[in-house]
Each structure stands twice: as structure tokens, then as C-alpha cells.
Amino acid sequence: SQKIEQNSEALNIQEGKTATLTCNYTNYSPAYLQWYRQDPGRGPVFLLLIRENEKEKRKERLKVTFDTTLKQSLFHITASQPADSATYLCALDVRGSTLGRLYFGRGTQLTVWP
Amino acid sequence: KAGVTQTPRYLIKTRGQQVTLSCSPISGHRSVSWYQQTPGQGLQFLFEYFSETQRNKGNFPGRFSGRQFSNSRSEMNVSTLELGDSALYLCASSLMGDRGYTFGSGTRLTVV
């Protein structure tokens, strides 16, 4: 069966450290992988997109890697801050799937403490 | 530019009733997708519309329906509400239906 797993439901780290979140998938062939941030009671906010032929992408303090052989994406937040505390979702845009549909993981709740 | 607007923000309905939710996408975005989010199932895809045509549909019963108007605004309707329909309903828009979606804040539906 098809599955998207994010490494843990919750991750707690100290301010200034690097947070690393994992997204693993099985039985999908994603053309793109996206990461979103969601705060309580709000909709997800798009952060980064990486294509299947890209290994790494960066945006300010964020870095995403994509390994289609391992079927895994890593999402890094460097120099983390309490304001980074939120739930982070990975989403797959699947090759061959009709446009407009994303498959989401359950999310990892990140807490950055001072 | 204005974001994706969903109305209403909160709704309380009784089992058996029907409900209509509205979504106004970002100006110029022609694709509108709908998702249901619950603590138990996470984000589940409902359907996607592009230029007034439904292009994709998730695994939800026929009680869930939607439409898109010529100005790209979209509505979704749930008939014969069940307790299990209580959820956050999210609308997302994009230019072509791919590559990074902008979500609204959602409509929190509670069925009692």
C-alpha cells in the first residue's frame, strides 16, 4: 500500500540548533516533493518544492534534500528559533496523477525552546 | 495580493443537514483544490477544479460535491451530514494546479 511517513509526531530542540525532519514514502513515484508549515487553526503555508531530479534546495535557513533511491526527503531548519515552532508537513505531487492533488504526510510537530 | 479566502470560518450543523462552504482563490489562480483535515486522518484530498471542470476526485462518498464558477470561486457542499464529517475543510489555489499551493485558513465544521 502507499504510505507517507514523517519521522516522528513531535520533535523538541533548543534554540540555535538545527532541526532535521524526515519524510519517507513507499509505492509512490513523486515528480515533486513539497514542504508546508501549519500553525494551529490555520491552513498550511508552502515553504519549498524540490523536483525528482534535484538533490538539494535551499531557501534562507531552510534546506531540503530529496533521494528518490531511498524514497526519502530531509528538511532542515538551521539556527532554529522559537518562532519556527509549528507542524511541518511533507506532500507528494505524484507523477501520472491528475494535477491538483497532493498526498500529505501526517506531519511533525516541532517545538523550539529558548 | 489577497490570499485565499474561505467562508465561513466556523460552522455548527446538526446531523442530517447540509452545508455549503465557499472559497475565493488568489486572483489569476484557476485551480482550486479542497482537503479535509482531521486529527485521525490528517489531510485528505476531496477534489480539484480547473476552469470550472472537476479534474480529480478523492475517495469520499457522493455526499461531498463541489463546483467552480467562471470567476474561479469554488464551493463545496456536504449533504446529509454525519458526525464524522466534523473537520477543518481547507481550500487551496494555484496557477495551473501544480507547484506550490496557497491554502486558505479553512472552515471548521462541527456536526452535532
Side-chain angles (χ1 to χ4, degrees):
Chain A
S1 64
Q2 298 171 315
K3 273 196 290 190
I4 303 170
E5 292 182 335
Q6 296 192 236
N7 57 325
S8 58
E9 287 189 12
L11 180 64
N12 299 309
I13 65 167
Q14 188 177 23
E15 182 177 11
K17 302 291 187 184
T18 296
T20 298
L21 286 66
T22 305
C23 177
N24 295 293
Y25 58 92
T26 56
N27 295 329
Y28 286 102
S29 296
Y32 303 83
L33 191 145
Q34 305 183 22
W35 284 88
Y36 289 80
R37 167 186 172 140
Q38 188 173 26
D39 292 285
R42 312 292 292 182
V45 174
F46 172 73
L47 296 174
L48 278 171
L49 175 152
I50 188 165
R51 293 173 171 76
E52 60 177 331
N53 60 353
E54 296 177 316
K55 295 292 185 189
E56 180 180 301
K57 184 164 279 189
R58 294 174 185 260
K59 179 184 174 183
E60 298 173 353
R61 294 185 296 112
L62 309 179
K63 184 178 86 170
V64 174
T65 63
F66 193 14
D67 188 326
T68 54
T69 301
L70 290 179
K71 297 185 183 297
Q72 181 182 78
S73 174
L74 299 179
F75 178 78
H76 306 272
I77 306 175
T78 58
S80 59
Q81 306 165 0
D84 295 326
S85 299
T87 295
Y88 291 85
L89 300 157
C90 74
L92 271 55
D93 190 341
V94 176
R95 188 187 312 120
S97 172
T98 308
L99 293 177
R101 177 172 190 164
L102 292 176
Y103 295 83
F104 280 89
R106 298 297 300 276
T108 296
Q109 186 174 351
L110 174 67
T111 302
V112 182
W113 45 280
Chain B
K1 59 182 178 183
V4 176
T5 303
Q6 290 188 247
T7 56
R9 284 282 281 130
Y10 302 93
L11 262 180
I12 300 176
K13 289 287 189 178
T14 304
R15 194 169 44 182
Q17 288 186 311
Q18 76 162 23
V19 67
T20 300
L21 312 181
S22 179
C23 173
S24 294
I26 288 176
S27 178
H29 283 192
R30 295 162 68 188
S31 168
V32 174
S33 301
W34 289 88
Y35 290 82
Q36 180 196 66
Q37 187 173 31
T38 59
Q41 298 296 320
L43 274 152
Q44 301 283 308
F45 174 78
L46 282 157
F47 27 66
E48 188 257 3
Y49 288 86
F50 184 88
S51 293
E52 302 178 65
T53 300
Q54 185 183 88
R55 297 197 299 184
N56 204 349
K57 190 176 192 300
N59 295 325
F60 279 82
R63 300 185 296 106
F64 291 81
S65 62
R67 58 179 176 168
Q68 187 181 33
F69 302 95
S70 58
N71 62 357
S72 292
R73 191 177 71 84
S74 178
E75 289 182 346
M76 68 163 281
N77 184 277
V78 188
S79 62
T80 319
L81 284 166
E82 300 177 359
L83 297 178
D85 297 333
S86 295
L88 180 66
Y89 289 88
L90 292 159
C91 163
S93 78
S94 72
L95 194 59
M96 294 292 290
D98 60 350
R99 330 291 184 261
Y101 295 80
T102 302
F103 281 81
S105 292
T107 294
R108 171 73 64 186
L109 172 65
T110 302
V111 182
V112 298

